[in-house]
Amino acid sequence: MAVPVVAAVLLLVVSWQVAADGPLLGVDRSVRHAVRAAHRGSPDALPDRLGHLLSDLGSSVPAVPVLLLAGALAAWRGRRTGAGRWWLPLPVAALTAALIPLLVVPAKSAFARPGPLGEPLTAGQWGWYPSGHTATAAISYGVAALLLARVAGPRAVRGPAAAAVLLSLGVGAGLVWSDFHWLLDVVASWCLAVLVLWALARWLPRPGAGSRQASGSSLR
């Protein structure tokens, strides 16, 4: 329980500071100054290209197709092994893809936080808090790994799970490096993803649960 509690508390604190323009936002400014200094000290264009590439990995494409593909693969594997409710990963993947904008867009509109470049929001424009790209990456890739783990076992999914974590961290780093988001925008979305993944992990049936239940029913 420690992980979701810490994530929830951190999300609440950061959201409060963003809404109140509190002193914690000084962390954002300090990080941005450090990033700007690193840009000046690195005239090579490669880090900027890498930052943009990592940021793009948090777009709906490719993150959502990866999520849907993982749901389809998990359902196919579950059907082959005779798992109970083998079809469940398909609606879970689809509903997760639909959930992400429902979590992020209202918050962006409510907080209406300007981005690092300081440009004022235009009429009807969403704010920068929390980061939509970070939430899309962390939730999509994380749920994809979780669905695969439910049918392949934790050992077989260590690679996808590690890839999901690295992609989520990489997208956040790319957004901050490219001046697309403040650091706390990214941190808030990481916390949000942790809560979604924790809730989903508790709700999804454990591997073999359906088979054990069916076996017990046949004995009775």
Side-chain angles (χ1 to χ4, degrees):
M1 289 295 294
V3 172
V5 168
V6 170
V9 170
L10 184 57
L11 179 59
L12 289 174
V13 170
V14 171
S15 299
W16 162 52
Q17 289 292 286
V18 170
D21 196 17
L24 188 60
L25 300 190
V27 174
D28 276 339
R29 292 187 284 271
S30 297
V31 170
R32 185 169 187 268
H33 290 328
V35 170
R36 292 291 90 196
H39 274 276
R40 291 191 294 270
S42 177
D44 189 0
L46 180 60
D48 292 339
R49 293 176 182 172
L50 180 60
H52 282 74
L53 175 62
L54 289 172
S55 300
D56 289 341
L57 292 177
S59 300
S60 296
V61 179
V64 171
V66 168
L67 169 60
L68 297 177
L69 178 60
L73 287 174
W76 174 75
R77 177 66 183 268
R79 185 178 183 182
R80 285 194 63 188
T81 58
R85 291 189 290 175
W86 58 266
W87 45 266
L88 188 59
L90 288 171
V92 167
L95 289 174
T96 299
L99 176 66
I100 296 172
L102 295 179
L103 292 174
V104 174
V105 172
K108 283 178 171 289
S109 179
F111 286 96
R113 187 188 190 192
L117 299 179
E119 298 175 353
L121 299 179
T122 59
Q125 184 181 15
W126 303 329
W128 268 252
Y129 180 88
S131 166
H133 277 61
T134 305
T136 300
I139 295 176
S140 295
Y141 299 135
V143 171
L146 183 61
L147 292 175
L148 293 174
R150 283 299 190 267
V151 295
R155 290 186 177 181
V157 85
R158 284 177 181 173
V165 172
L166 291 176
L167 284 170
S168 301
L169 295 175
V171 169
L175 291 169
V176 174
W177 175 265
S178 303
D179 244 356
F180 293 150
H181 273 287
W182 299 103
L183 175 62
L184 292 184
D185 301 343
V186 171
V187 170
S189 291
W190 281 337
C191 293
L192 184 62
V194 167
L195 296 175
V196 171
L197 289 169
W198 174 79
L200 188 58
R202 289 177 62 88
W203 177 76
L204 283 175
R206 296 286 176 181
S211 299
R212 288 193 299 267
Q213 183 178 359
S215 177
S217 299
S218 63
L219 290 175
R220 288 194 295 271

